[in-house]
Amino acid sequence: MPYETILFEIREAVACITLNRPEKLNAFTARMHEELHAAVDEVRGNGALRALLITGSGRGFCAGQDLNERAMSGDPDGPDVGNALEKSYNPLVHGLRELGLPVICAVNGVAAGAGCNFALTADIVIAARSASFIEVFSRIGLIPDAGGTYALPRLVGAARAMAMSLLAEPVSGEQAASWGLIWKCVDDDKLMSEAHALAQRLAGGPTRAYGLIKQALNASPANTLEQQLALEAKLQRQAGKTADFREGVQAFLQKRTPVYQGR
Ligand code: T3D
């Protein structure tokens, strides 16, 4: 599929998706959803890839749903926005969370509405100091979606999740890092070099183990201790059979740096 609203690049083992509608702060359109879906499929299907980096072009990261596509049609019942979630946003969230490689999001500016929650779906989120996170939904009479009501209380606790959602106030990159909403905040001019370095570093790691770590941690909030211990045994059994585990142990014993193949 030719990409018009995103940029998709592959550098060595790292894929990079850049949301690319800067004049509209990279707001999501139906077309962008189709392209994101295709790009994530491309990443999933390319066994040579070992990390995915997501960012935005221009001064914003993503302003959520493009509201021009929601201009009211005169239907007294309003549009069925639940349908858009089921068709576009929910599969996107699932697609990223279930990718068997690390997903890094570099938040370069404002991340609002579904743009904020899309960023929070990544495994590691780094933000520029000038970036902000806004659960903007209540300003237009909606509830946080794209996984926001799942991620927020788990990341920042019930009190902050509720206030972010009801007040729809911007949370700065620095505040987000200090609350644990994201991994870290860096100076604007360092964002992309740090994000690329992190993606390259992860791309040189034990990819299968990373995928299993994601599975274990993502399952954890819904599990009892017993269930989680059983899951750890199941996933560790798989990790223990990888070539990377053999290499990791051998490298340790030989006092050298391991060279992981992602297998
Ligand atoms: O319907 C469904 O599918 C359900 C799912 C919903 C998911 C959602 O994301 S709902 C939430 C939708 N998003 C918003 O409500 C955010 C709207 N945008 C803003 O509140 C502000 O733009 C920001 C706080 C994000 C940034 O403010 P600021 O002052 O830095 O920028 P700006 O001047 O408002 O925006 C710059 C341009 O981007 C401007 O266009 P113009 O006037 O220069 O031609 C603005 O209209 C456009 N823009 C920003 N956000 C959106 C947008 N255009 C369409 N849709 C947007 N969401």
Side-chain angles (χ1 to χ4, degrees), residues 97-176:
R97 273 178 76 91
E98 284 147 29
L99 266 186
L101 43 75
V103 180
I104 301 109
C105 187
V107 180
N108 53 299
V110 64
C116 177
N117 297 332
F118 171 62
L120 300 180
T121 301
D123 302 311
I124 298 184
V125 184
I126 314 184
R129 209 163 294 285
S130 67
S132 57
F133 296 81
I134 320 178
E135 291 295 336
V136 74
F137 303 88
S138 65
R139 289 190 196 170
I140 57 167
L142 290 181
I143 70 161
D145 58 25
T149 59
Y150 180 89
L152 286 176
R154 287 170 167 80
L155 291 170
V156 295
R160 285 170 174 157
M162 189 63 89
M164 280 183 76
S165 303
L166 294 180
L167 301 175
E169 287 176 2
V171 172
S172 69
E174 223 157 314
Q175 187 76 84

Side-chain angles (χ1 to χ4, degrees), residues 21-28 33 59 62-70 79-85 89 110-116 132 134 136-137 139-140 142-143 145-146 170:
R21 300 182 67 233
E23 68 293 347
K24 296 294 175 195
L25 303 179
N26 305 315
F28 290 114
H33 272 293
R59 73 175 177 89
C62 177
Q65 172 62 41
D66 188 315
L67 296 176
N68 293 303
E69 287 191 347
R70 296 291 177 272
D80 184 350
V81 293
N83 197 34
L85 296 183
Y89 288 96
V110 64
C116 177
S132 57
I134 320 178
V136 74
F137 303 88
R139 289 190 196 170
I140 57 167
L142 290 181
I143 70 161
D145 58 25

